[in-house]
Amino acid sequence: AQSVTQLDSQVPVFEEAPVELRCNYSSSVSVYLFWYVQYPNQGLQLLLKYLSGSTLVKGINGFEAEFNKSQTSFHLRKPSVHISDTAEYFCAVSDQGGSEKLVFGKGTKLTVNP
Amino acid sequence: DVKVTQSSRYLVKRTGEKVFLECVQDMDHENMFWYRQDPGLGLRLIYFSYDVKMKEKGDIPEGYSVSREKKERFSLILESASTNQTSMYLCASSSTGTKYNEQFFGPGTRLTVL
């Protein structure tokens, strides 16, 4: 069975600092990987996805993620965060050619302080 | 632009009441999902439906049922609401045709059971 581990439940950073949100997954088959963002009192919005090809994926709002198959990781990064990036971030995985379901991590709450 | 709507943003009900949460998508998606979101637990799948009148239990179906009479509409039913069902409920949909199972989310319904 697949699982997703987000290693940090909370990450506080100062504005304009770089940030990395960590995500590791376990799966016995090839996967698709996603990062979603949830702003306060809203639903989830897709930030970026890895389907195939280049392991460095660029998303909206200046975020990027790197797929590392050997380490089964898909860490999210941003070189300089803004106050408006304060949100909860979810990593998710699905099987290639398998179930329609996504398996989500428990989320990382990013707080950007002035 | 893709859209998933949920009937209420906030709902307050009494213990023992029957509660209906409605979700509508306008993307002609085959798959629809209901999740509940609780702090520290992330998103947990309650039920999903892969076609009209078809449903499959998720990870936490106890105390819930669902109905999908039309392709665009997926309802979550709490037969007899209890205080431990106070939570944020998120609906999502996805297309079978895309293969990679990207899900599109509604804004969520915050349910309080008193």
Side-chain angles (χ1 to χ4, degrees):
Chain A
Q2 295 169 316
S3 67
V4 177
T5 302
Q6 291 185 241
L7 294 151
D8 306 295
S9 59
Q10 298 191 57
V11 173
V13 294
F14 288 109
E15 196 173 16
E16 297 183 9
V19 71
E20 179 179 82
L21 306 184
R22 296 179 292 168
C23 172
N24 286 89
Y25 69 92
S26 67
S27 177
S28 57
V29 298
S30 296
V31 296
Y32 301 118
L33 292 156
F34 304 83
W35 275 100
Y36 283 86
V37 60
Q38 184 182 34
Y39 298 105
N41 296 314
Q42 294 187 27
L44 274 67
Q45 174 184 345
L46 184 70
L47 204 52
L48 49 78
K49 57 182 179 268
Y50 170 78
L51 306 180
S52 65
S54 172
T55 57
L56 185 63
V57 180
K58 294 193 184 296
I60 61 172
N61 301 339
F63 283 92
E64 63 182 32
E66 185 154 21
F67 171 55
N68 187 318
K69 189 174 181 179
S70 62
Q71 296 190 3
T72 59
S73 68
F74 190 54
H75 301 332
L76 181 70
R77 301 185 183 105
K78 186 169 182 178
S80 175
V81 293
H82 303 290
I83 300 281
S84 58
D85 293 322
T86 294
E88 191 155 19
Y89 293 79
F90 293 92
C91 182
V93 63
S94 76
D95 281 338
Q96 290 190 19
S99 164
E100 296 84 0
K101 291 184 275 189
L102 293 181
V103 176
F104 286 88
K106 293 189 173 168
T108 297
K109 191 162 287 188
L110 174 66
T111 303
V112 182
N113 297 300
Chain B
D1 202 13
V2 296
K3 201 159 186 187
V4 180
T5 56
Q6 296 184 227
S7 51
S8 305
R9 292 298 306 274
Y10 299 93
L11 209 51
V12 179
K13 295 292 181 182
R14 298 271 178 204
T15 302
E17 279 192 78
K18 190 168 186 175
V19 180
F20 292 86
L21 302 183
E22 305 283 340
C23 175
V24 177
Q25 50 96 2
D26 65 359
M27 298 165 281
D28 202 36
H29 284 171
E30 295 81 9
N31 306 313
M32 296 188 75
F33 306 82
W34 274 108
Y35 296 90
R36 68 175 280 176
Q37 181 182 12
D38 301 288
L41 299 178
L43 274 70
R44 294 181 290 167
L45 182 65
I46 304 171
Y47 269 97
F48 89 98
S49 168
Y50 47 91
D51 201 351
V52 175
K53 297 190 188 294
M54 306 302 285
K55 62 186 179 186
E56 190 171 308
K57 291 180 180 178
D59 302 316
I60 51 163
E62 297 79 19
Y64 303 95
S65 62
V66 289
S67 172
R68 193 165 179 203
E69 297 295 319
K70 293 186 177 181
K71 191 175 185 180
E72 67 270 18
R73 188 179 297 270
F74 191 35
S75 303
L76 180 70
I77 303 154
L78 287 66
E79 295 289 344
S80 177
S82 63
T83 55
N84 63 14
Q85 292 178 310
T86 291
S87 187
M88 170 73 106
Y89 290 87
L90 293 165
C91 176
S93 71
S94 71
S95 171
T96 304
T98 61
K99 298 190 294 182
Y100 48 82
N101 302 328
E102 177 183 346
Q103 292 184 14
F104 297 84
F105 283 82
T109 296
R110 189 168 293 281
L111 173 67
T112 302
V113 182
L114 302 175

